[in-house]
Amino acid sequence: MGFENEQFGGEEDLRHVIEYYGGLPSGIDVSLEVLPMEGADLHSRLTRIRTEIMAGKGPDVFLMMPSLLPDREMLFPIPQTAMERHVFLPLDELKDSSEHIEWDKLNTKILAAGQGSEGQMLLPMYYSLDMAESGEKVDLPATWEKAVSGNAPVLSQAYGSAFHFGRFRNLAFTDVADYEKETMIITEEELGQRMKEACSVPFDREDGSVRWSGDGTDMLGEEGTAFPLHNTQGGVTAQISGWLAVNINTEHKRDALALVDMMMGRKFLSMESFWDEGRAAMGTDIFLFPQVRWYGGIPVYDDFFDKGQTISYIRGIAGEQLSVHHQTVEEISYVYIPTSIDMELWALFNDCQEAEDETEIDKLVSKRYSTMNMMLAES
């Protein structure tokens, strides 16, 4: 995990959660290492952890929150590769022993993103979607083609808002690379074309009449105005925003699995059973796990919001918005765990937004595309 305030409050919070559940099976104490968001210290600590893992040691449990910012170094640059290289312990046995995970209520499409050739290698905790709301009449369904045409102002503003919040990759493509073959799936020409289309979308940053949302909990709730944004294939993309895995080297298997079980339960994902509303309201910069929850997105349980459940006491979905939420989830056609390649695409869009013309965009695309090919070759 990476947060600006690093460790502050995190280890105490983790102990508080474990105590709430009655402790770990062996009664073992825990320590928590929270990584900084960037800098030389991040690089040196990631190098140390990777060295420990290669030596048969390392942390027992990984809680990973992919960075919202481009150009950030990751412990597992390509999680799909790590799943196939025996880094993680298969978690399928939890299906028979878990006390807190309700397996039959988990979204199976989201869960499948953590499956490898040896089974369930990691467990997605949270994910985000692309939705929008508007007080104006909307030409639905919301599609990429309508947005980039310039003939549907509300949809242009909706997609432009999504692009502004780093969602170009989610809406422009499904699979972008074959991590097993270590090659790009999309061509440089396809990337350039989509980039030019996205950068040409007429978007007014000062116009608040159309709002993007990654989970629906921040929508105003005006009846009939919320709608899903579809990717170029006509479906909805889900981006995994938090996941758990157990180190295959762990010497505390029962305790590690028990901790994962706790953290995949509804209570942990809602952040409301461990602290009262007053403490939760003190701010996401004070207590680590409410901060994790804030950046997380939608909990992996399909019915999480159905009975009025909220997140940290303030974030919920109800009424017409809940119907749109379920519709959007039902339309999920592609799920991915962010990799270093995806982060390159996020960074590329930011660069291209500042380009003076299409010639400069072509140069930026060519440079990043070469970089992505090299990254895959070295993975």
Side-chain angles (χ1 to χ4, degrees), residues 243-270:
W243 53 271
L244 287 162
V246 173
N247 189 345
I248 198 168
N249 300 323
T250 182
E251 297 179 357
H252 309 283
K253 179 180 175 180
R254 286 184 62 221
D255 296 308
L257 291 175
L259 182 58
V260 168
D261 185 26
M262 295 174 186
M263 298 174 78
M264 281 295 295
R266 290 177 188 265
K267 292 182 178 180
F268 182 85
L269 298 182
S270 74

PDB file of all heavy atoms in Angstrom, residues 243-270:
ATOM      1  N   TRP A 243      -6.790  -5.387  -3.571  1.00  0.00           N
ATOM      2  CA  TRP A 243      -6.803  -6.848  -3.539  1.00  0.00           C
ATOM      3  C   TRP A 243      -5.870  -7.393  -2.467  1.00  0.00           C
ATOM      4  O   TRP A 243      -4.964  -6.714  -2.010  1.00  0.00           O
ATOM      5  CB  TRP A 243      -6.459  -7.442  -4.904  1.00  0.00           C
ATOM      6  CG  TRP A 243      -5.193  -6.988  -5.575  1.00  0.00           C
ATOM      7  CD1 TRP A 243      -5.048  -5.924  -6.414  1.00  0.00           C
ATOM      8  CD2 TRP A 243      -3.887  -7.596  -5.497  1.00  0.00           C
ATOM      9  NE1 TRP A 243      -3.752  -5.828  -6.865  1.00  0.00           N
ATOM     10  CE2 TRP A 243      -3.009  -6.844  -6.325  1.00  0.00           C
ATOM     11  CE3 TRP A 243      -3.379  -8.709  -4.817  1.00  0.00           C
ATOM     12  CZ2 TRP A 243      -1.662  -7.164  -6.486  1.00  0.00           C
ATOM     13  CZ3 TRP A 243      -2.030  -9.032  -4.980  1.00  0.00           C
ATOM     14  CH2 TRP A 243      -1.196  -8.265  -5.804  1.00  0.00           C
ATOM     15  N   LEU A 244      -6.141  -8.631  -2.075  1.00  0.00           N
ATOM     16  CA  LEU A 244      -5.383  -9.322  -1.035  1.00  0.00           C
ATOM     17  C   LEU A 244      -4.748 -10.590  -1.598  1.00  0.00           C
ATOM     18  O   LEU A 244      -5.323 -11.257  -2.462  1.00  0.00           O
ATOM     19  CB  LEU A 244      -6.296  -9.720   0.121  1.00  0.00           C
ATOM     20  CG  LEU A 244      -6.795  -8.612   1.049  1.00  0.00           C
ATOM     21  CD1 LEU A 244      -7.997  -9.103   1.843  1.00  0.00           C
ATOM     22  CD2 LEU A 244      -5.690  -8.152   1.985  1.00  0.00           C
ATOM     23  N   ALA A 245      -3.580 -10.926  -1.092  1.00  0.00           N
ATOM     24  CA  ALA A 245      -2.925 -12.181  -1.453  1.00  0.00           C
ATOM     25  C   ALA A 245      -2.059 -12.628  -0.282  1.00  0.00           C
ATOM     26  O   ALA A 245      -1.681 -11.818   0.579  1.00  0.00           O
ATOM     27  CB  ALA A 245      -2.073 -12.021  -2.707  1.00  0.00           C
ATOM     28  N   VAL A 246      -1.749 -13.910  -0.249  1.00  0.00           N
ATOM     29  CA  VAL A 246      -0.901 -14.486   0.792  1.00  0.00           C
ATOM     30  C   VAL A 246       0.405 -14.953   0.152  1.00  0.00           C
ATOM     31  O   VAL A 246       0.400 -15.607  -0.901  1.00  0.00           O
ATOM     32  CB  VAL A 246      -1.597 -15.669   1.488  1.00  0.00           C
ATOM     33  CG1 VAL A 246      -0.634 -16.378   2.456  1.00  0.00           C
ATOM     34  CG2 VAL A 246      -2.831 -15.192   2.239  1.00  0.00           C
ATOM     35  N   ASN A 247       1.501 -14.598   0.774  1.00  0.00           N
ATOM     36  CA  ASN A 247       2.824 -15.007   0.313  1.00  0.00           C
ATOM     37  C   ASN A 247       2.956 -16.525   0.404  1.00  0.00           C
ATOM     38  O   ASN A 247       2.699 -17.121   1.446  1.00  0.00           O
ATOM     39  CB  ASN A 247       3.884 -14.334   1.195  1.00  0.00           C
ATOM     40  CG  ASN A 247       5.293 -14.521   0.685  1.00  0.00           C
ATOM     41  OD1 ASN A 247       5.568 -15.358  -0.166  1.00  0.00           O
ATOM     42  ND2 ASN A 247       6.213 -13.728   1.233  1.00  0.00           N
ATOM     43  N   ILE A 248       3.359 -17.159  -0.698  1.00  0.00           N
ATOM     44  CA  ILE A 248       3.517 -18.608  -0.688  1.00  0.00           C
ATOM     45  C   ILE A 248       4.602 -19.039   0.289  1.00  0.00           C
ATOM     46  O   ILE A 248       4.655 -20.190   0.723  1.00  0.00           O
ATOM     47  CB  ILE A 248       3.823 -19.129  -2.113  1.00  0.00           C
ATOM     48  CG1 ILE A 248       3.552 -20.634  -2.181  1.00  0.00           C
ATOM     49  CG2 ILE A 248       5.248 -18.777  -2.528  1.00  0.00           C
ATOM     50  CD1 ILE A 248       3.553 -21.193  -3.582  1.00  0.00           C
ATOM     51  N   ASN A 249       5.471 -18.094   0.684  1.00  0.00           N
ATOM     52  CA  ASN A 249       6.553 -18.409   1.624  1.00  0.00           C
ATOM     53  C   ASN A 249       6.132 -18.322   3.091  1.00  0.00           C
ATOM     54  O   ASN A 249       6.946 -18.603   3.974  1.00  0.00           O
ATOM     55  CB  ASN A 249       7.715 -17.431   1.426  1.00  0.00           C
ATOM     56  CG  ASN A 249       8.299 -17.463   0.032  1.00  0.00           C
ATOM     57  OD1 ASN A 249       8.387 -18.527  -0.577  1.00  0.00           O
ATOM     58  ND2 ASN A 249       8.689 -16.300  -0.483  1.00  0.00           N
ATOM     59  N   THR A 250       4.894 -17.934   3.364  1.00  0.00           N
ATOM     60  CA  THR A 250       4.509 -17.683   4.743  1.00  0.00           C
ATOM     61  C   THR A 250       4.737 -18.894   5.647  1.00  0.00           C
ATOM     62  O   THR A 250       4.481 -20.036   5.259  1.00  0.00           O
ATOM     63  CB  THR A 250       3.030 -17.260   4.831  1.00  0.00           C
ATOM     64  OG1 THR A 250       2.703 -16.979   6.202  1.00  0.00           O
ATOM     65  CG2 THR A 250       2.093 -18.344   4.312  1.00  0.00           C
ATOM     66  N   GLU A 251       5.211 -18.613   6.851  1.00  0.00           N
ATOM     67  CA  GLU A 251       5.361 -19.652   7.877  1.00  0.00           C
ATOM     68  C   GLU A 251       4.188 -19.615   8.852  1.00  0.00           C
ATOM     69  O   GLU A 251       4.172 -20.348   9.841  1.00  0.00           O
ATOM     70  CB  GLU A 251       6.682 -19.449   8.625  1.00  0.00           C
ATOM     71  CG  GLU A 251       7.910 -19.599   7.725  1.00  0.00           C
ATOM     72  CD  GLU A 251       9.201 -19.368   8.493  1.00  0.00           C
ATOM     73  OE1 GLU A 251       9.130 -19.030   9.705  1.00  0.00           O
ATOM     74  OE2 GLU A 251      10.281 -19.523   7.894  1.00  0.00           O
ATOM     75  N   HIS A 252       3.221 -18.753   8.550  1.00  0.00           N
ATOM     76  CA  HIS A 252       2.050 -18.599   9.422  1.00  0.00           C
ATOM     77  C   HIS A 252       0.787 -18.713   8.581  1.00  0.00           C
ATOM     78  O   HIS A 252      -0.058 -17.806   8.556  1.00  0.00           O
ATOM     79  CB  HIS A 252       2.095 -17.246  10.135  1.00  0.00           C
ATOM     80  CG  HIS A 252       3.391 -16.963  10.833  1.00  0.00           C
ATOM     81  ND1 HIS A 252       3.717 -17.534  12.046  1.00  0.00           N
ATOM     82  CD2 HIS A 252       4.448 -16.195  10.468  1.00  0.00           C
ATOM     83  CE1 HIS A 252       4.918 -17.111  12.410  1.00  0.00           C
ATOM     84  NE2 HIS A 252       5.376 -16.300  11.473  1.00  0.00           N
ATOM     85  N   LYS A 253       0.652 -19.838   7.911  1.00  0.00           N
ATOM     86  CA  LYS A 253      -0.422 -20.006   6.941  1.00  0.00           C
ATOM     87  C   LYS A 253      -1.803 -19.816   7.563  1.00  0.00           C
ATOM     88  O   LYS A 253      -2.640 -19.081   7.019  1.00  0.00           O
ATOM     89  CB  LYS A 253      -0.314 -21.391   6.288  1.00  0.00           C
ATOM     90  CG  LYS A 253      -1.410 -21.683   5.272  1.00  0.00           C
ATOM     91  CD  LYS A 253      -1.229 -23.066   4.662  1.00  0.00           C
ATOM     92  CE  LYS A 253      -2.385 -23.418   3.741  1.00  0.00           C
ATOM     93  NZ  LYS A 253      -2.217 -24.770   3.146  1.00  0.00           N
ATOM     94  N   ARG A 254      -2.073 -20.465   8.686  1.00  0.00           N
ATOM     95  CA  ARG A 254      -3.408 -20.361   9.301  1.00  0.00           C
ATOM     96  C   ARG A 254      -3.724 -18.923   9.674  1.00  0.00           C
ATOM     97  O   ARG A 254      -4.842 -18.445   9.461  1.00  0.00           O
ATOM     98  CB  ARG A 254      -3.491 -21.247  10.549  1.00  0.00           C
ATOM     99  CG  ARG A 254      -3.595 -22.745  10.270  1.00  0.00           C
ATOM    100  CD  ARG A 254      -3.757 -23.517  11.551  1.00  0.00           C
ATOM    101  NE  ARG A 254      -4.978 -23.149  12.258  1.00  0.00           N
ATOM    102  CZ  ARG A 254      -5.056 -22.981  13.587  1.00  0.00           C
ATOM    103  NH1 ARG A 254      -3.965 -23.113  14.345  1.00  0.00           N
ATOM    104  NH2 ARG A 254      -6.205 -22.679  14.150  1.00  0.00           N
ATOM    105  N   ASP A 255      -2.755 -18.234  10.228  1.00  0.00           N
ATOM    106  CA  ASP A 255      -2.978 -16.843  10.631  1.00  0.00           C
ATOM    107  C   ASP A 255      -3.162 -15.943   9.412  1.00  0.00           C
ATOM    108  O   ASP A 255      -4.017 -15.042   9.412  1.00  0.00           O
ATOM    109  CB  ASP A 255      -1.800 -16.347  11.475  1.00  0.00           C
ATOM    110  CG  ASP A 255      -1.669 -17.099  12.781  1.00  0.00           C
ATOM    111  OD1 ASP A 255      -2.674 -17.181  13.512  1.00  0.00           O
ATOM    112  OD2 ASP A 255      -0.578 -17.608  13.067  1.00  0.00           O
ATOM    113  N   ALA A 256      -2.373 -16.179   8.373  1.00  0.00           N
ATOM    114  CA  ALA A 256      -2.478 -15.359   7.163  1.00  0.00           C
ATOM    115  C   ALA A 256      -3.841 -15.541   6.511  1.00  0.00           C
ATOM    116  O   ALA A 256      -4.487 -14.560   6.102  1.00  0.00           O
ATOM    117  CB  ALA A 256      -1.365 -15.730   6.185  1.00  0.00           C
ATOM    118  N   LEU A 257      -4.294 -16.775   6.412  1.00  0.00           N
ATOM    119  CA  LEU A 257      -5.606 -17.033   5.822  1.00  0.00           C
ATOM    120  C   LEU A 257      -6.725 -16.451   6.678  1.00  0.00           C
ATOM    121  O   LEU A 257      -7.719 -15.930   6.155  1.00  0.00           O
ATOM    122  CB  LEU A 257      -5.811 -18.534   5.624  1.00  0.00           C
ATOM    123  CG  LEU A 257      -4.938 -19.200   4.560  1.00  0.00           C
ATOM    124  CD1 LEU A 257      -5.153 -20.702   4.548  1.00  0.00           C
ATOM    125  CD2 LEU A 257      -5.218 -18.619   3.180  1.00  0.00           C
ATOM    126  N   ALA A 258      -6.561 -16.517   7.993  1.00  0.00           N
ATOM    127  CA  ALA A 258      -7.574 -15.950   8.888  1.00  0.00           C
ATOM    128  C   ALA A 258      -7.658 -14.439   8.725  1.00  0.00           C
ATOM    129  O   ALA A 258      -8.748 -13.852   8.744  1.00  0.00           O
ATOM    130  CB  ALA A 258      -7.251 -16.304  10.340  1.00  0.00           C
ATOM    131  N   LEU A 259      -6.510 -13.789   8.557  1.00  0.00           N
ATOM    132  CA  LEU A 259      -6.506 -12.334   8.376  1.00  0.00           C
ATOM    133  C   LEU A 259      -7.174 -11.961   7.059  1.00  0.00           C
ATOM    134  O   LEU A 259      -7.963 -11.004   7.001  1.00  0.00           O
ATOM    135  CB  LEU A 259      -5.066 -11.815   8.406  1.00  0.00           C
ATOM    136  CG  LEU A 259      -4.903 -10.297   8.265  1.00  0.00           C
ATOM    137  CD1 LEU A 259      -5.663  -9.561   9.363  1.00  0.00           C
ATOM    138  CD2 LEU A 259      -3.426  -9.919   8.289  1.00  0.00           C
ATOM    139  N   VAL A 260      -6.887 -12.701   6.008  1.00  0.00           N
ATOM    140  CA  VAL A 260      -7.543 -12.449   4.720  1.00  0.00           C
ATOM    141  C   VAL A 260      -9.046 -12.641   4.849  1.00  0.00           C
ATOM    142  O   VAL A 260      -9.842 -11.842   4.316  1.00  0.00           O
ATOM    143  CB  VAL A 260      -6.971 -13.376   3.636  1.00  0.00           C
ATOM    144  CG1 VAL A 260      -7.829 -13.334   2.371  1.00  0.00           C
ATOM    145  CG2 VAL A 260      -5.538 -12.993   3.308  1.00  0.00           C
ATOM    146  N   ASP A 261      -9.453 -13.665   5.562  1.00  0.00           N
ATOM    147  CA  ASP A 261     -10.873 -13.914   5.800  1.00  0.00           C
ATOM    148  C   ASP A 261     -11.531 -12.712   6.484  1.00  0.00           C
ATOM    149  O   ASP A 261     -12.608 -12.262   6.100  1.00  0.00           O
ATOM    150  CB  ASP A 261     -11.024 -15.184   6.646  1.00  0.00           C
ATOM    151  CG  ASP A 261     -12.475 -15.591   6.850  1.00  0.00           C
ATOM    152  OD1 ASP A 261     -13.324 -15.245   6.012  1.00  0.00           O
ATOM    153  OD2 ASP A 261     -12.754 -16.265   7.865  1.00  0.00           O
ATOM    154  N   MET A 262     -10.874 -12.171   7.492  1.00  0.00           N
ATOM    155  CA  MET A 262     -11.400 -11.006   8.201  1.00  0.00           C
ATOM    156  C   MET A 262     -11.544  -9.804   7.267  1.00  0.00           C
ATOM    157  O   MET A 262     -12.558  -9.109   7.266  1.00  0.00           O
ATOM    158  CB  MET A 262     -10.467 -10.627   9.361  1.00  0.00           C
ATOM    159  CG  MET A 262     -10.360 -11.639  10.465  1.00  0.00           C
ATOM    160  SD  MET A 262      -9.078 -11.141  11.675  1.00  0.00           S
ATOM    161  CE  MET A 262      -9.041 -12.578  12.751  1.00  0.00           C
ATOM    162  N   MET A 263     -10.508  -9.579   6.480  1.00  0.00           N
ATOM    163  CA  MET A 263     -10.468  -8.371   5.659  1.00  0.00           C
ATOM    164  C   MET A 263     -11.328  -8.473   4.407  1.00  0.00           C
ATOM    165  O   MET A 263     -11.565  -7.467   3.728  1.00  0.00           O
ATOM    166  CB  MET A 263      -9.015  -8.059   5.287  1.00  0.00           C
ATOM    167  CG  MET A 263      -8.148  -7.771   6.502  1.00  0.00           C
ATOM    168  SD  MET A 263      -6.395  -7.561   6.116  1.00  0.00           S
ATOM    169  CE  MET A 263      -6.372  -5.906   5.467  1.00  0.00           C
ATOM    170  N   MET A 264     -11.808  -9.655   4.098  1.00  0.00           N
ATOM    171  CA  MET A 264     -12.729  -9.828   2.975  1.00  0.00           C
ATOM    172  C   MET A 264     -14.184  -9.863   3.429  1.00  0.00           C
ATOM    173  O   MET A 264     -15.095 -10.004   2.608  1.00  0.00           O
ATOM    174  CB  MET A 264     -12.399 -11.117   2.212  1.00  0.00           C
ATOM    175  CG  MET A 264     -11.218 -11.004   1.270  1.00  0.00           C
ATOM    176  SD  MET A 264     -11.497  -9.850  -0.117  1.00  0.00           S
ATOM    177  CE  MET A 264     -12.824 -10.680  -0.997  1.00  0.00           C
ATOM    178  N   GLY A 265     -14.410  -9.747   4.726  1.00  0.00           N
ATOM    179  CA  GLY A 265     -15.775  -9.732   5.238  1.00  0.00           C
ATOM    180  C   GLY A 265     -16.433  -8.374   5.043  1.00  0.00           C
ATOM    181  O   GLY A 265     -15.773  -7.355   4.867  1.00  0.00           O
ATOM    182  N   ARG A 266     -17.758  -8.343   5.097  1.00  0.00           N
ATOM    183  CA  ARG A 266     -18.503  -7.099   4.883  1.00  0.00           C
ATOM    184  C   ARG A 266     -18.118  -6.019   5.892  1.00  0.00           C
ATOM    185  O   ARG A 266     -18.059  -4.832   5.564  1.00  0.00           O
ATOM    186  CB  ARG A 266     -20.003  -7.359   5.009  1.00  0.00           C
ATOM    187  CG  ARG A 266     -20.611  -8.175   3.894  1.00  0.00           C
ATOM    188  CD  ARG A 266     -22.088  -8.417   4.205  1.00  0.00           C
ATOM    189  NE  ARG A 266     -22.681  -9.352   3.273  1.00  0.00           N
ATOM    190  CZ  ARG A 266     -23.341  -9.007   2.168  1.00  0.00           C
ATOM    191  NH1 ARG A 266     -23.475  -7.726   1.871  1.00  0.00           N
ATOM    192  NH2 ARG A 266     -23.862  -9.916   1.370  1.00  0.00           N
ATOM    193  N   LYS A 267     -17.874  -6.435   7.122  1.00  0.00           N
ATOM    194  CA  LYS A 267     -17.610  -5.437   8.158  1.00  0.00           C
ATOM    195  C   LYS A 267     -16.328  -4.670   7.883  1.00  0.00           C
ATOM    196  O   LYS A 267     -16.272  -3.448   8.049  1.00  0.00           O
ATOM    197  CB  LYS A 267     -17.552  -6.111   9.535  1.00  0.00           C
ATOM    198  CG  LYS A 267     -18.894  -6.642  10.005  1.00  0.00           C
ATOM    199  CD  LYS A 267     -18.799  -7.258  11.387  1.00  0.00           C
ATOM    200  CE  LYS A 267     -20.166  -7.733  11.860  1.00  0.00           C
ATOM    201  NZ  LYS A 267     -20.106  -8.338  13.216  1.00  0.00           N
ATOM    202  N   PHE A 268     -15.293  -5.387   7.465  1.00  0.00           N
ATOM    203  CA  PHE A 268     -14.051  -4.687   7.151  1.00  0.00           C
ATOM    204  C   PHE A 268     -14.239  -3.785   5.937  1.00  0.00           C
ATOM    205  O   PHE A 268     -13.763  -2.643   5.914  1.00  0.00           O
ATOM    206  CB  PHE A 268     -12.909  -5.662   6.892  1.00  0.00           C
ATOM    207  CG  PHE A 268     -11.607  -4.960   6.614  1.00  0.00           C
ATOM    208  CD1 PHE A 268     -10.795  -4.544   7.650  1.00  0.00           C
ATOM    209  CD2 PHE A 268     -11.216  -4.680   5.312  1.00  0.00           C
ATOM    210  CE1 PHE A 268      -9.610  -3.860   7.401  1.00  0.00           C
ATOM    211  CE2 PHE A 268     -10.034  -4.012   5.044  1.00  0.00           C
ATOM    212  CZ  PHE A 268      -9.236  -3.595   6.097  1.00  0.00           C
ATOM    213  N   LEU A 269     -14.928  -4.273   4.927  1.00  0.00           N
ATOM    214  CA  LEU A 269     -15.100  -3.500   3.704  1.00  0.00           C
ATOM    215  C   LEU A 269     -15.948  -2.249   3.918  1.00  0.00           C
ATOM    216  O   LEU A 269     -15.816  -1.267   3.196  1.00  0.00           O
ATOM    217  CB  LEU A 269     -15.709  -4.367   2.602  1.00  0.00           C
ATOM    218  CG  LEU A 269     -14.872  -5.584   2.175  1.00  0.00           C
ATOM    219  CD1 LEU A 269     -15.562  -6.333   1.050  1.00  0.00           C
ATOM    220  CD2 LEU A 269     -13.477  -5.163   1.736  1.00  0.00           C
ATOM    221  N   SER A 270     -16.811  -2.265   4.919  1.00  0.00           N
ATOM    222  CA  SER A 270     -17.637  -1.078   5.187  1.00  0.00           C
ATOM    223  C   SER A 270     -16.950  -0.102   6.131  1.00  0.00           C
ATOM    224  O   SER A 270     -17.271   1.081   6.159  1.00  0.00           O
ATOM    225  CB  SER A 270     -18.973  -1.491   5.808  1.00  0.00           C
ATOM    226  OG  SER A 270     -18.802  -1.893   7.161  1.00  0.00           O
TER     227      SER A 270
END
